[in-house]
Amino acid sequence: MQKNMEKYEIYKSMHESLAKAMRAGYYYQAIFIEYAILEDRLRAILRYAGVPYINKNGHEDKISRKLDKLRDRPEFANKFVRDRIPAKMVDDIKEWTEARNDLIHNLANIPYDDESVKAVAEKGKQILDVFKNKSASVINHFNRLSGK
């Protein structure tokens, strides 16, 4: 119970920080927070579904690999999961993470374009708002299946 409260407080704080960053125009900060929350939600879905996300070298899969698993693994092929997290949503998240990665990896190589960064931050917020609710539903589904 204590761990759940800690997780709740962390999420609450992250969402408050995200809202503040968006209001203040700190779009890179918003993008970092969005990415962290998305990755955590993906990790939780995989964990509750019993799908490994640690490779043979003991390293956690990258977000793109987690998304591939969510799209392709049989654990996620049932109607309940697909109705909540369709392949299109997974593809949209993957596309957003690629846009995010392009921004981050080329930070020193391209002129700063506030509108592009803002667009990526806004798209990430939009994706996150939907995905966090859908992922909670899927996690609860896997909890019910396991009898927890």
Side-chain angles (χ1 to χ4, degrees):
M1 186 66 167
Q2 177 68 21
K3 188 174 181 175
N4 288 342
M5 286 305 295
E6 287 173 19
K7 188 72 163 185
Y8 169 79
E9 290 301 325
I10 289 168
Y11 268 173
K12 182 179 170 189
S13 174
M14 289 180 80
H15 285 285
E16 289 169 359
S17 295
L18 175 56
K20 286 179 188 174
M22 291 296 289
R23 279 194 307 272
Y26 297 146
Y27 301 119
Y28 275 109
Q29 182 179 358
I31 290 166
F32 281 116
I33 294 167
E34 292 161 355
Y35 188 90
I37 294 170
L38 281 169
E39 185 144 41
D40 183 76
R41 295 292 73 210
L42 287 167
R43 184 183 304 120
I45 290 170
L46 294 172
R47 183 176 58 248
Y48 283 95
V51 175
Y53 55 91
I54 306 294
N55 68 27
K56 64 182 181 228
N57 297 324
H59 298 115
E60 189 170 317
D61 288 336
K62 295 187 181 310
I63 199 167
S64 62
R65 180 96 170 100
K66 289 176 185 145
L67 288 165
D68 289 344
K69 288 180 179 184
L70 185 55
R71 185 182 51 236
D72 299 335
R73 292 280 303 231
E75 293 88 345
F76 307 112
N78 70 59
K79 182 173 174 15
F80 184 91
V81 174
R82 278 297 156 242
D83 284 350
R84 281 145 191 85
I85 306 176
K88 168 99 171 78
M89 181 185 292
V90 175
D91 292 341
D92 289 347
I93 295 169
K94 198 165 201 174
E95 183 179 300
W96 178 83
T97 61
E98 290 167 1
R100 174 257 181 211
N101 290 346
D102 287 345
L103 282 176
I104 302 304
H105 296 298
N106 292 303
L107 190 57
N109 300 329
I110 56 175
Y112 182 75
D113 177 4
D114 192 52
E115 287 306 310
S116 293
V117 178
K118 179 181 179 182
V120 172
E122 288 175 341
K123 181 67 174 178
K125 177 79 169 76
Q126 178 186 46
I127 287 170
L128 184 60
D129 286 345
V130 174
F131 187 68
K132 69 181 181 182
N133 293 325
K134 301 297 185 180
S135 65
S137 178
V138 169
I139 289 167
N140 288 335
H141 168 74
F142 285 115
N143 264 338
R144 284 190 301 278
L145 289 178
S146 68
K148 292 183 182 179

